Amino acid sequence: MKIIAIIPARGGSKGIPRKNVRFLNGKPLIAYAILNALQSSYITDVLVSTDDEEIAGIAYLYGAKVIKRPECLGADAVTLDPVIYHATCSCEKDSGEADLVITMQPTSPLLKAETLDSAIAEFLHGEMDTMISAVNRPH
């Protein structure tokens, strides 16, 4: 089964400039998502969708493939859907159709590969077509 993880990481973050390349405990923030995806027992391809050369370099350094995001998908108002669609189509054009696509945020460094694998296993053995992680912490 071909299961791809797509990590969307644009260079122009506004709230915390350059957040995806900032260091956290000795590694760039995006490295945590890449390493967790690579440690998964299920994920076959780890892709970083980016419009930024520095992020692309870090992605390669940590073992991910890079999907060069077109400029039109790097604007502030662009939602995640067209970014993930573009990356999925690019991957499938190069290496065949994916059975499952997982979106991983580079801003979730505390995610563990075991948690990721548990969610994938639950999805594969369940009868759903979509799964999303969420935390119920009203404030």
Side-chain angles (χ1 to χ4, degrees):
M1 183 170 242
K2 182 174 179 173
I3 300 176
I4 63 174
I6 300 173
I7 303 167
R10 67 187 188 102
S13 54
K14 299 285 186 233
I16 302 173
R18 309 295 301 155
K19 70 180 173 218
N20 293 316
V21 299
R22 288 197 180 198
F23 276 69
L24 176 68
N25 197 30
K27 293 181 202 145
L29 183 62
I30 193 170
Y32 291 92
I34 294 168
L35 293 172
N36 279 325
L38 289 171
Q39 291 172 8
S40 169
S41 302
Y42 294 98
I43 295 173
T44 56
D45 293 288
V46 179
L47 312 166
V48 172
S49 169
T50 190
D51 58 351
D52 185 272
E53 290 303 318
E54 184 179 13
I55 292 171
I58 291 168
Y60 284 127
L61 180 69
Y62 281 91
K65 297 175 185 173
V66 174
I67 301 293
K68 181 72 174 152
R69 189 186 306 186
E71 191 175 318
C72 64
L73 293 179
D76 290 343
V78 175
T79 63
L80 204 52
D81 288 345
V83 172
I84 300 304
Y85 181 75
H86 171 264
T88 301
C89 290
S90 296
C91 177
E92 290 181 338
K93 186 174 76 173
D94 290 341
S95 59
E97 189 171 327
D99 296 299
L100 183 61
V101 177
I102 297 170
T103 304
M104 294 179 64
Q105 295 295 345
T107 52
S108 298
L110 300 180
L111 176 69
K112 300 286 185 220
E114 298 82 23
T115 305
L116 181 59
D117 277 353
S118 176
I120 295 169
E122 184 174 332
F123 180 83
L124 293 174
H125 296 103
E127 293 186 25
M128 48 199 127
D129 61 5
T130 303
M131 177 185 269
I132 187 168
S133 65
V135 176
N136 184 11
R137 288 199 186 138
H139 58 289

